[in-house]
């Protein structure tokens, strides 16, 4: 039985194959071969069954953590990006750029939510949606739905989805 998987040891090596177990004295061992992209073998390792189990367990743990932590890491990366853009967006918003004001409100709702209402009043569909979100957070469900409906009527896709989802309840 051959089990293949990809490893990122270096730019030159990217494949490894765990070959059928063989016996080395009384100990069951596995041969792990690494190959170049062109298919030529570069290295061969002999490891015990215990080591193979550890390698597979570490791989599964990394996979599990990426599934669980992926969202956290993704949010962290998005926040890092937002933090790097914030000074520029603040300068643009100060100069009257509505999109920059909305960006600030979306990325920093706890401190920049005040920027949404004037934009929603101007008729920006996405600002209308976020005005609805702000009102919902404040506990005004009727006001929230009013703004979300206005956003949907103006063609905002997310607002339309919310209205459809709400109508099914």
């Amino acid at each position: 039985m051959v089990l293949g998987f990809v490893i990122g040891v270096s730019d030159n090596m990217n494949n490894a194959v765990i070959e059928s177990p063989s016996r080395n004295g009384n100990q069951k061992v596995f041969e792990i071969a690494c190959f170049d992209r062109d298919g030529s073998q570069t290295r061969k390792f002999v490891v015990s069954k215990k080591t193979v189990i550890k390698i597979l367990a570490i791989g599964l743990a990394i996979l599990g953590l990426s599934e669980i932590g992926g969202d956290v890491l993704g949010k962290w990366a998005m926040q890092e990006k937002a933090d790097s853009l914030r000074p520029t967006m603040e300068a643009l918003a100060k100069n009257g750029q509505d999109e920059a004001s909305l960006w600030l409100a979306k990325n920093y709702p706890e401190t920049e939510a005040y920027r949404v209402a004037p934009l929603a009043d101007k008729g920006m569909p996405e600002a209308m949606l976020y005005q609805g979100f702000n009102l919902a957070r404040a506990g005004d469900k009727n006001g929230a739905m009013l703004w979300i409906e206005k956003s949907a009527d103006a063609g905002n896709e997310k607002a339309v989805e919310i209205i459809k989802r709400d109508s099914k309840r």
Side-chain angles (χ1 to χ4, degrees):
M1 178 177 114
V2 176
L3 171 65
F5 61 98
V6 176
I7 60 173
V9 176
S10 72
D11 288 341
N12 296 330
M13 289 190 303
N14 69 345
N15 291 315
V17 176
I18 300 177
E19 297 177 351
S20 300
S22 59
R23 295 229 177 247
N24 183 2
N26 286 335
Q27 186 181 15
K28 203 174 206 181
V29 295
F30 290 80
E31 293 178 349
I32 300 178
C34 298
F35 299 89
D36 279 338
R37 288 194 173 105
D38 66 2
S40 60
Q41 185 173 330
T42 58
R43 292 196 177 119
K44 196 170 200 174
F45 304 96
V46 177
V47 295
S48 69
K49 180 180 178 182
K50 193 174 187 178
T51 301
V52 170
I53 290 171
K54 287 178 184 177
I55 291 169
L56 291 174
I58 290 169
L60 290 173
I62 290 170
L63 181 63
L65 288 174
S66 70
E67 288 297 315
I68 294 167
D71 192 42
V72 172
L73 292 175
K75 286 180 181 177
W76 176 80
M78 287 174 41
Q79 189 62 49
E80 285 289 310
K81 180 181 176 186
D83 289 347
S84 71
L85 294 174
R86 188 173 188 171
T88 303
M89 296 306 255
E90 286 174 335
L92 290 168
K94 188 176 181 179
N95 287 330
Q97 298 299 318
D98 292 343
E99 288 294 328
S101 290
L102 182 58
W103 183 91
L104 286 163
K106 287 168 42 178
N107 285 281
Y108 300 96
E110 58 284 340
T111 59
E112 304 292 329
Y114 70 91
R115 297 177 182 271
V116 173
L119 302 174
D121 288 337
K122 285 184 177 181
M124 288 181 70
E126 193 172 12
M128 292 176 191
L129 176 66
Y130 279 89
Q131 179 64 4
F133 292 164
N134 289 343
L135 291 171
R137 273 193 293 276
D140 182 359
K141 303 295 182 200
N142 292 332
M145 284 310 296
L146 175 72
W147 279 106
I148 293 170
E149 287 169 1
K150 284 182 180 185
S151 179
D153 290 344
N156 184 282
E157 178 184 354
K158 288 180 187 175
V160 170
E161 289 172 1
I162 292 168
I163 300 295
K164 282 189 167 206
R165 186 185 66 223
D166 252 24
S167 69
K168 290 181 181 179
R169 289 184 187 179

